[in-house]
């Protein structure tokens, strides 16, 4: 290893400059087109992206919306899931998944995850009730939840939703994220694997009825001007974002491969550190490493040590949904989801993005090694001594 703690070389969690340099000219030309024809909201650039992303994911319909949270809400509303209906989702997700269920008017029914951070199909099965209408598989950190097991756990009448905000391009037994559920919602927040230059999101589905509903719902409840079939919302993708997303989609597979290469490099370096548990790829999955999440002892002290050296290690997520103050109404105390709770205290995300260099990764791992030695628990030191 070339770099040590003494050499200051800050590493951000995500660096988008590598991607921007490659699409800069294409984006500028596209922005010029949008500004020339004035199609700032939806319009031809969005339609072009919707068609390309649908073909890429292997689904019939993609509808661009304002963000990923709206996408999930619209999926549920389009399936007429709302008041009094229960929706099952994992306790360890970004809070948006749960917010979308509440915004649709439905009941949040959280369940625990497995050791790979993915929603536990067994927990889904045991939480099914007469009121369960939907199950949301969250493809956390870049690999897909076991959709076929969730389908079996939910049974034929349950509407199966994919939250693929962290898994653009990921596959399970060869099928792309977004193509295995009854519908999917995704985000194009700038830091996602497929990110816009602002907020954005999309609904994916093979069901014409869901597609028609979302098309109207996203645009004040109608597709013809001043004709409102029902009260909808304003949740549309901008033309400028369509330009950026088309340019990035054409390069997504290559960039996901760079993420996998970086993950392999971390895996190899971290092999020498038995205290660090590296992420496992679940059988049948191709991972796209939106995040590279390891498990370490003394997590908070390790993260502080790294951030103090300018290495932006982070935690996704430090507090599961049921322990967030905003979700105390759920009435689920500490101890309800033992796996999600335990993992939330052990996980740490190391920087990963297309363009991260081996030198940066060397430095991160060297700093991590020092941090582990420095912050080893006294009991462990005693045992070792
Ligand atoms: C980012 C994200 C969302 C929400 O996306 P926004 O575009 O920020 O609304 C939903 N679910 C997961 C798992 C996410 O990572």
């Amino acid at each position: 290893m070339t770099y040590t703690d003494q050499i200051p070389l800050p590493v951000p969690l995500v660096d988008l400059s590598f991607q921007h340099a490659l699409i800069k000219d294409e984006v500028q030309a596209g922005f010029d087109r949008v500004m020339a024809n004035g199609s700032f909201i939806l319009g031809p650039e969005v339609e072009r992206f919707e068609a390309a992303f649908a073909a890429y994911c292997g689904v019939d319909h993609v509808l661009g919306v304002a963000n990923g949270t709206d996408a999930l809400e619209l999926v549920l509303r389009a399936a007429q899931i709302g008041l009094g209906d229960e929706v099952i989702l994992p306790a360890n997700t970004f809070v948006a998944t749960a917010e979308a269920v509440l915004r649709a008017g439905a009941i949040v029914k959280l369940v625990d995850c497995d050791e790979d951070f993915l929603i536990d199909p067994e927990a889904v099965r045991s939480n099914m009730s007469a009121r369960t209408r939907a199950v949301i598989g969250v493809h956390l950190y870049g690999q897909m939840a076991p959709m076929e097991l969730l389908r079996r756990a939910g049974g034929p009448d349950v509407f199966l939703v994919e939250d693929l905000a962290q898994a653009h391009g990921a596959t399970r037994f060869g099928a792309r994220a977004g193509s295995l559920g009854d519908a999917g919602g995704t985000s194009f927040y700038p830091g996602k694997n497929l990110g816009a230059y602002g907020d954005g999101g999309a609904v994916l589905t093979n069901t014409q009825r869901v597609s028609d509903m979302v098309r109207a719902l996203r645009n004040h409840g109608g597709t013809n001007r001043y004709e409102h079939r029902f009260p909808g919302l304003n949740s549309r993708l901008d033309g400028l974002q369509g330009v950026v997303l088309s340019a990035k989609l054409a390069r997504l597979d290559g960039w996901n491969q760079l993420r996998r290469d970086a993950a392999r490099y971390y895996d190899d370096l971290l092999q020498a550190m038995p205290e660090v548990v590296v992420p496992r790829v679940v059988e049948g999955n191709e991972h796209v490493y939106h995040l590279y999440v390891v498990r370490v002892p003394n997590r908070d002290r390790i993260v502080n040590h790294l951030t103090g050296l300018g290495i932006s290690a982070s935690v996704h997520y430090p507090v599961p949904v049921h322990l967030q103050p905003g979700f105390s109404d759920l009435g689920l105390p500490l101890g309800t989801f033992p796996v999600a709770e335990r993992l939330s205290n052990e996980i740490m995300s190391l920087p990963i993005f297309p363009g991260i260099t081996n030198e940066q990764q060397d430095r991160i791992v060297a700093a991590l090694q020092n941090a582990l030695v420095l912050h080893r628990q006294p009991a462990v030191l005693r045992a070792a001594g």
Side-chain angles (χ1 to χ4, degrees):
M1 266 169 236
T2 336
Y3 290 89
T4 70
D5 278 6
Q6 275 69 51
I7 303 170
L9 175 62
V11 191
L13 186 70
V14 179
D15 181 350
L16 300 174
S17 59
F18 170 90
Q19 295 180 34
H20 182 63
L22 294 168
I23 61 170
K24 196 164 156 280
D25 295 342
E26 199 175 321
V27 165
Q28 192 56 60
F31 281 12
D32 289 345
R33 280 198 304 279
V34 172
M35 286 184 260
N37 69 20
S39 51
F40 291 108
I41 292 172
L42 298 174
E45 298 295 336
V46 169
E47 284 166 25
R48 193 160 70 89
F49 168 70
E50 288 173 336
F53 195 49
Y56 176 85
C57 294
V59 298
D60 293 340
H61 312 278
V62 165
L63 297 121
V65 299
N67 57 67
T69 315
D70 281 4
L72 292 166
E73 176 190 341
L74 287 166
V75 159
L76 294 171
R77 287 179 61 173
Q80 265 135 20
I81 293 165
L83 217 62
D85 298 328
E86 286 179 2
V87 177
I88 295 180
L89 66 148
N92 65 322
T93 179
F94 181 55
V95 72
T97 321
E99 286 174 324
V101 174
L102 291 179
R103 291 258 312 266
I107 299 165
V108 169
K109 185 82 193 169
L110 299 176
V111 298
D112 212 346
C113 63
D114 63 18
E115 298 289 330
D116 296 308
F117 314 108
L118 299 170
I119 183 172
D120 178 0
E122 216 27 73
V124 171
R125 190 191 317 278
S126 59
N127 278 278
M128 292 292 299
S129 81
R131 299 207 287 188
T132 307
R133 290 279 319 280
V135 172
I136 307 180
V138 179
H139 303 328
L140 207 66
Y141 305 154
Q143 73 174 327
M144 288 178 68
M147 296 303 293
E148 73 289 353
L149 302 182
L150 296 179
R151 175 78 73 189
R152 206 178 309 152
D157 298 331
V158 152
F159 194 78
L160 192 55
V161 178
E162 292 178 68
D163 179 342
L164 61 141
Q166 301 191 2
H168 306 107
T171 62
R172 178 156 183 79
F173 297 114
R176 289 258 191 229
S179 69
L180 291 179
D182 295 306
T186 197
S187 165
F188 303 124
Y189 180 81
K192 310 285 190 191
N193 286 36
L194 181 57
Y197 285 176
D199 276 312
V203 168
L204 295 77
T205 186
N206 285 321
T207 308
Q208 184 72 50
R209 185 178 45 82
V210 170
S211 170
D212 291 345
M213 279 294 282
V214 171
R215 192 176 293 283
L217 279 169
R218 72 175 174 179
N219 191 47
H220 303 291
T223 45
N224 298 329
R225 199 171 275 254
Y226 308 127
E227 183 187 314
H228 309 282
R229 288 154 54 203
F230 33 75
L233 58 156
N234 172 3
S235 184
R236 302 170 296 212
L237 190 62
D238 291 343
L240 296 174
Q241 305 305 349
V243 167
V244 174
L245 291 166
S246 291
K248 286 195 173 183
L249 178 62
R251 295 156 173 91
L252 180 62
D253 282 341
W255 291 347
N256 281 342
Q257 186 56 48
L258 292 179
R259 288 174 182 272
R260 274 190 294 275
D261 294 345
R264 284 297 79 75
Y265 194 66
Y266 271 137
D267 288 348
D268 289 345
L269 293 175
L270 292 170
Q271 233 178 4
M273 290 176 230
E275 305 131 286
V276 180
V277 182
V278 301
R280 200 176 72 101
V281 181
V282 174
E283 151 114 64
N285 279 352
E286 187 167 58
H287 207 308
V288 294
Y289 294 97
H290 173 60
L291 295 167
Y292 186 85
V293 176
V294 298
R295 293 161 55 186
V296 289
N298 306 313
R299 193 269 318 277
D300 290 341
R301 277 183 277 169
I302 304 283
V303 169
N304 285 339
H305 181 104
L306 294 180
T307 50
L309 293 167
I311 294 167
S312 300
S314 187
V315 178
H316 300 87
Y317 299 92
V319 180
V321 172
H322 65 294
L323 301 178
Q324 291 287 352
F327 286 79
S328 58
D329 283 2
L330 295 177
L332 302 171
L334 188 69
T336 309
F337 303 118
V339 182
E341 291 168 14
R342 173 168 47 79
L343 293 176
S344 72
N345 291 317
E346 298 175 357
I347 51 178
M348 171 175 71
S349 309
L350 296 178
I352 195 163
F353 45 86
I356 192 170
T357 63
N358 286 355
E359 287 71 25
Q360 285 175 314
Q361 293 185 270
D362 287 342
R363 160 153 168 81
I364 292 161
V365 172
L368 173 57
Q369 185 150 37
N370 287 350
L372 285 166
V373 172
L374 268 171
H375 299 290
R376 200 163 271 161
Q377 275 161 346
V380 175
L381 275 181
R382 275 199 300 277

